[in-house]
Amino acid sequence: MEARGPSRKRTKFTALKTQEVLPAPEALEAPGHGPPPSAHNQQPPPGVGDDEESADLISNLPDAILGEIVSRLPTNQGARTQILAFRWRHIWSSAPLSIDCEGLAADNEVLAGIVSRTVSAHPPPCRRFCVPSCLLGDRASTVDGWLRTPALDNLQELEFWFKPYYRPQPLQHPPPPSMFRFSATLCVATIGNCNLTDGTVQGLHFPLLKQLGLELVSISECSLHSLIAGCPVLECLLISHGFGFRCLRINSLTLRSFAVKNYRKCNDQLKELIVENAPCLQSLLHLDFDYGLHISVLSAPKLETLGCLSDGFYISKEEDLSRFVFGSTVIQGLRVDKLTTVVHIVKNLAVNMKVLSLDTIIELMRCFPCLEKIYIESESKKEKNVRGRKHQNLIKCPNIRLKTIVFECYQGIKSDIEFASFFILNATVLELMTLQIGARDYNEQFLAEQRRKLQIEYKASRGARFHFTTDKCARGVWDVHHVRDLDLTDPFVC
């Protein structure tokens, strides 16, 4: 039995994340701050003169390797490597430039000044350029100037990100034309908070683009299909709060992961998704509990990960729930409306439930008989867990194939215990069950009582482990913020 309380490492990290960002040296120096410490005051690299065990081996690496390391750090951290030692002072200025403003605590005016000084002082090449999308409206000419500077030639990653807020509306202006001068070299792109007109999109071609995010973008259905078709090696696609199109047809020979997130009750948002031909698609994610989307999967032979199926927190009408169709099999919300053929390909499933129901999960397991991993979240405190004939019939079926069960918001009430104990007593190949509990319940008395009530000593799988934790144990729909979050073997694992 594994049990873990709040992680010290995570607590420390969280505390650091909330601290104010310190002023960066030189190009990242904010108004009012002095220059970085003089090189004459720098200490020699750690380990110089010490024994071999404590030697600073990393400083002995070639400049090219150190530069590659520094270029992959957040901008403020990369710049601060200059004060580590004299050996490091020239590394940041000669390394491939990486501008990532998401970690900088500054208002737009200060942020614009930091970026302007950085791109003017740093020589090319630039690997990554990430700034908030609101600057496209507030400082369009400034952004255009940044994108045209030689320092950004051959850019590989371009991101205009936005912070989600309730019912956002996209800006009506198009992006600057200079945004697309990198189309031949971009590998990762996030386009946010703008209007992609038909004239802007038609003819665009991104031969190297593998990850594309469209966030708070207005685009027509025709242009959206054209944009995706212009990415012949696209692997990950995220559409978050898109406007101007109601239907999307996926036809991609390379796409591995697709996710969509939208606000509900907007007439010009995506209503229907049809996966027509996606031979490499492995992950299909609907990242909104309360936005009804009709998804039809016609051909996706490698689809293993599906989520998040939900009965909707704020949806009162069943016809407004999301609808997944696999051939002639139909799932409305969490209910399997029509099960004519089972779906063998799905192995990982994420489910969000208003009220925990074992029979609902059992029915989904019938639909996906090869399911190996399931993530379940149910925050309702109602004592309701219907168990009927379906439950009895499943025990007589072949072995349940679940190997991993992640149960968030476990409270130890009767319905929770009944639900978890069913799998403990019947899942013969179970390897790990993770139960997330509240911090106030993390004590030996509660854990001992749960071990007894769950009947762990009678577990069906001899090698099964049971892990109680207060940490978040699964990534929810609101934890997927960037298209790079999709480039994971399991997008739900923390």
Side-chain angles (χ1 to χ4, degrees):
M1 171 74 64
E2 298 179 17
R4 182 166 61 130
S7 167
R8 294 182 181 179
K9 191 176 293 185
R10 177 170 297 198
T11 303
K12 181 179 179 180
F13 175 77
T14 303
L16 289 174
K17 290 285 283 186
T18 60
Q19 292 179 359
E20 182 179 356
V21 176
L22 299 175
E26 293 185 350
L28 294 185
E29 174 188 331
H33 295 297
S38 169
H40 299 290
N41 297 327
Q42 302 302 308
Q43 298 298 320
V48 174
D50 294 341
D51 56 34
E52 183 177 353
E53 184 176 350
S54 61
D56 178 18
L57 299 179
I58 192 171
S59 291
N60 293 332
L61 294 172
D63 285 6
I65 296 179
L66 292 178
E68 185 65 22
I69 294 173
V70 170
S71 72
R72 296 183 181 277
L73 295 173
T75 305
N76 54 340
Q77 296 179 21
R80 287 178 188 145
T81 59
Q82 297 176 98
I83 66 175
L84 291 176
F86 182 79
R87 167 75 178 89
W88 287 79
R89 188 155 183 81
H90 70 284
I91 298 296
W92 184 78
S93 59
S94 60
L97 181 59
S98 178
I99 298 179
D100 189 344
C101 297
E102 195 167 0
L104 299 179
D107 59 32
N108 288 347
E109 183 176 353
V110 174
L111 204 60
I114 291 173
V115 175
S116 294
R117 290 194 297 274
T118 302
V119 298
S120 63
H122 201 291
C126 181
R127 186 180 65 85
R128 174 174 170 79
F129 187 78
C130 172
V131 296
S133 60
C134 59
L135 296 180
L136 291 173
D138 299 342
R139 291 171 172 79
S141 60
T142 301
V143 173
D144 185 61
W146 294 338
L147 296 177
R148 294 183 185 278
T149 182
L152 269 62
D153 288 351
N154 300 316
L155 187 66
Q156 298 177 35
E157 300 182 20
L158 176 64
E159 181 175 351
F160 288 92
W161 56 274
F162 82 104
K163 294 182 179 180
Y165 52 93
Y166 188 67
R167 292 186 182 279
Q169 294 294 327
L171 298 179
Q172 295 304 310
H173 58 76
S178 54
M179 177 185 293
F180 302 108
R181 79 178 185 92
F182 314 105
S183 59
T185 58
L186 283 178
C187 298
V188 179
T190 295
I191 304 172
N193 212 353
C194 63
N195 178 20
L196 291 176
T197 63
D198 292 345
T200 300
V201 173
Q202 298 300 324
L204 285 178
H205 184 65
F206 299 88
L208 303 180
L209 192 66
K210 292 186 175 182
Q211 299 181 11
L212 173 63
L214 300 176
E215 302 183 357
L216 198 60
V217 165
S218 178
I219 184 172
S220 70
E221 185 175 318
C222 177
S223 290
L224 179 58
H225 289 128
S226 174
L227 181 61
I228 297 174
C231 305
V233 296
L234 187 64
E235 296 181 355
C236 300
L237 174 62
L238 170 64
I239 298 179
S240 179
H241 315 310
F243 295 81
F245 57 97
R246 294 174 61 88
C247 179
L248 172 61
R249 296 176 180 272
I250 299 294
N251 288 280
S252 172
L253 300 179
T254 59
L255 191 65
R256 294 189 296 107
S257 183
F258 173 76
V260 59
K261 178 190 296 186
N262 271 330
Y263 280 92
R264 54 194 173 96
K265 297 181 180 179
C266 292
N267 292 328
D268 59 343
Q269 287 189 315
L270 183 63
K271 301 294 184 182
E272 183 178 14
L273 171 66
I274 304 174
V275 181
E276 291 187 338
N277 183 30
C280 294
L281 188 66
Q282 300 173 7
S283 176
L284 179 58
L285 309 179
H286 180 211
L287 304 176
D288 199 324
F289 297 147
D290 303 304
Y291 170 73
L293 179 65
H294 288 194
I295 301 176
S296 299
V297 180
L298 303 183
S299 178
K302 294 185 178 180
L303 183 61
E304 293 188 351
T305 300
L306 186 65
C308 178
L309 272 61
S310 172
D311 48 7
F313 278 133
Y314 303 105
I315 294 180
S316 56
K317 296 181 180 179
E318 186 172 344
E319 58 268 24
D320 292 335
L321 293 171
S322 290
R323 182 183 180 91
F324 286 80
V325 179
F326 295 85
S328 55
T329 296
V330 180
I331 304 173
Q332 184 89 32
L334 289 176
R335 194 183 80 243
V336 181
D337 272 354
K338 185 179 180 182
L339 181 56
T340 56
T341 56
V342 296
V343 183
H344 291 282
I345 55 177
V346 175
K347 295 181 179 180
N348 308 312
L349 180 67
V351 173
N352 184 279
M353 315 177 75
K354 288 180 182 177
V355 179
L356 188 65
S357 170
L358 178 57
D359 276 351
T360 296
I361 298 300
I362 289 173
E363 194 65 18
L364 289 173
M365 289 170 58
R366 292 180 184 277
C367 182
F368 306 114
C370 295
L371 206 59
E372 295 181 358
K373 184 182 293 187
I374 188 167
Y375 296 88
I376 301 168
E377 182 177 9
S378 177
E379 299 186 8
S380 174
K381 295 180 173 58
K382 294 181 180 180
E383 288 276 8
K384 182 179 180 182
N385 193 3
V386 179
R387 300 175 63 180
R389 288 180 295 176
K390 298 177 184 178
H391 161 74
Q392 298 298 331
N393 291 339
L394 188 67
I395 298 178
K396 302 175 184 179
C397 291
N399 290 339
I400 300 171
R401 299 191 183 186
L402 282 174
K403 296 180 180 179
T404 302
I405 300 173
V406 178
F407 190 174
E408 288 206 304
C409 304
Y410 180 86
Q411 304 171 63
I413 58 179
K414 181 181 177 182
S415 57
D416 290 352
I417 294 170
E418 186 177 84
F419 182 93
S421 62
F422 168 79
F423 294 100
I424 293 173
L425 300 176
N426 293 284
T428 57
V429 295
L430 182 65
E431 296 175 358
L432 176 63
M433 176 181 287
T434 301
L435 304 168
Q436 183 203 32
I437 61 176
R440 65 180 181 180
D441 291 329
Y442 193 83
N443 57 74
E444 190 54 43
Q445 180 180 354
F446 177 83
L447 296 179
E449 181 182 17
Q450 292 305 307
R451 294 186 187 106
R452 177 180 58 83
K453 291 183 176 181
L454 290 171
Q455 305 178 70
I456 289 176
E457 60 183 305
Y458 301 112
K459 60 185 180 182
S461 173
R462 181 170 298 181
R465 296 178 294 120
F466 303 91
H467 178 45
F468 289 89
T469 179
T470 57
D471 294 335
K472 185 175 180 62
C473 51
R475 286 159 53 91
V477 296
W478 299 111
D479 297 319
V480 178
H481 301 295
H482 306 282
V483 65
R484 59 180 176 269
D485 294 333
L486 304 182
D487 192 21
L488 301 169
T489 303
D490 185 347
F492 303 118
V493 70
C494 284

